[in-house]
């Protein structure tokens, strides 16, 4: 299949295929539970830090920068568009964080956030990671939604870069879900199934994001900034705090993981996008 045939598939179909890849990478990472029962805290911190770095870089290079450029081309006020979209994305995740019941792996107090529930601890832990994956799926969807505005090879490569970057960080994230679940007492199979299930929200949110910006094209720059705001909220609210466990020495792995993740995503975006 050549580039023209790929573009002819349309933004929604491409977003679905790309997000299925990001889910597959989550499942691949979750499959590490069949080989490991425990995970070193330093390695876990590095994984979470790596995911943070990828998401921070993707938020600017793949989402905010294109939103600014697109706003200029559409004769919009760039600073207003990105500010409104970014804040809306952060508020959306803030509301979701307070409504969807979930629990954090590093919280030994068993504190449940969101609405009261009687769900099992293992399910609540999965919900915590599922929240992370909503903005990632949206990012993939709106990135492919750019093709509705300008269906070029450059835009296609930029969208694939977003999916590739998120897929790369989903691999360690999948392991960071399934292996701790195994430590919680779940069987290897259950830990794997729950771990990969946390990534199933990505194809759903990607398709919804692509559909929305395809049907209502003027909101595309807002949608790009929205996805960026949602991802930065996840990074600062969830990933970075959870990666700072295990003492000062262990946090170095989080910091270096974040830097490496940022650099890899930046190289992918600049070189390919």
């Amino acid at each position: 299949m050549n580039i023209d045939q790929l573009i002819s598939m349309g933004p929604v179909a491409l977003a679905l295929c790309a997000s299925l890849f990001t889910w597959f990478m989550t499942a691949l990472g979750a499959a590490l539970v069949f080989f490991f029962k425990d995970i070193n805290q330093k390695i876990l911190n590095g994984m979470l830090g790596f995911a943070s770095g990828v998401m921070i870089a993707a938020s600017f290079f793949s989402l905010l920068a294109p939103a600014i450029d697109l706003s200029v081309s559409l004769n919009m006020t760039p600073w207003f568009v990105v500010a409104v979209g970014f804040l809306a994305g952060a508020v959306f995740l803030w509301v979701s964080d307070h409504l969807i019941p979930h629990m954090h792996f590093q919280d030994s107090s068993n504190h449940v956030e969101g609405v009261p529930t009687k769900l099992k601890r293992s399910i609540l832990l999965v919900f915590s990671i599922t929240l992370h994956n909503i903005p990632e799926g949206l990012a993939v969807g709106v990135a492919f939604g750019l093709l509705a505005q300008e269906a070029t090879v450059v835009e296609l490569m930029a969208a694939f870069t977003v999916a590739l970057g998120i897929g790369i960080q989903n691999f360690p994230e999948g392991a960071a879900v399934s292996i701790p679940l195994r430590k919680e007492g779940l069987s290897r199979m259950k830990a794997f199934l729950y771990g990969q299930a946390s990534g199933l929200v990505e194809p759903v949110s990607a398709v919804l994001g692509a559909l929305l910006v395809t049907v209502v094209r003027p909101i595309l720059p807002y949608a790009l900034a929205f996805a960026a705001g949602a991802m930065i909220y996840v990074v600062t609210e969830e990933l970075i705090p959870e990666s700072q466990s295990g003492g000062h020495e262990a946090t170095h792995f989080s910091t270096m993981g974040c830097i490496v993740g940022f650099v890899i995503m930046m190289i992918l975006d600049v070189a390919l996008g």
Side-chain angles (χ1 to χ4, degrees), residues 41 44 102-113 121 125 128 184 238 241-243 245:
Q41 186 63 52
L44 180 59
H102 62 284
M103 187 182 294
H104 300 291
F105 283 100
Q106 307 297 340
D107 189 354
S108 58
S109 65
N110 289 329
H111 173 66
V112 178
E113 297 185 20
R121 173 179 164 84
L125 291 171
S128 174
E184 290 280 329
E238 309 284 353
E242 289 187 7
S243 70
S245 302

Side-chain angles (χ1 to χ4, degrees), residues 83-225:
V84 170
F86 191 90
L87 289 172
V91 170
F92 170 76
L93 257 291
W94 180 82
V95 172
S96 300
D97 199 37
H98 284 74
L99 291 180
I100 299 176
H102 62 284
M103 187 182 294
H104 300 291
F105 283 100
Q106 307 297 340
D107 189 354
S108 58
S109 65
N110 289 329
H111 173 66
V112 178
E113 297 185 20
V115 298
T117 181
K118 293 183 179 180
L119 291 172
K120 293 181 179 180
R121 173 179 164 84
S122 57
I123 300 296
L124 294 172
L125 291 171
V126 173
F127 278 2
S128 174
I129 305 299
T130 301
L131 271 173
H132 298 178
N133 291 332
I134 293 174
E136 294 174 13
L138 285 173
V140 172
V142 296
F144 279 98
L146 276 169
L147 293 172
Q149 186 72 30
E150 190 176 0
T152 65
V153 174
V154 173
E155 299 298 341
L156 180 65
M157 291 302 296
F160 275 127
T161 299
V162 176
L164 179 60
I166 289 176
I168 289 172
Q169 68 96 26
N170 274 359
F171 178 80
E173 197 171 77
V177 179
S178 63
I179 295 176
L181 284 175
R182 171 63 175 159
K183 194 175 179 180
E184 290 280 329
L186 272 69
S187 67
R188 293 184 189 275
M189 180 56 71
K190 275 192 174 182
F192 165 73
L193 291 175
Y194 285 1
Q196 62 83 31
S198 68
L200 287 175
V201 70
E202 288 191 13
V204 176
S205 53
V207 169
L208 290 177
L211 272 173
L212 184 61
V213 299
T214 301
V215 174
V216 192
R217 293 189 182 184
I219 71 165
L220 181 52
Y222 289 98
L224 288 164

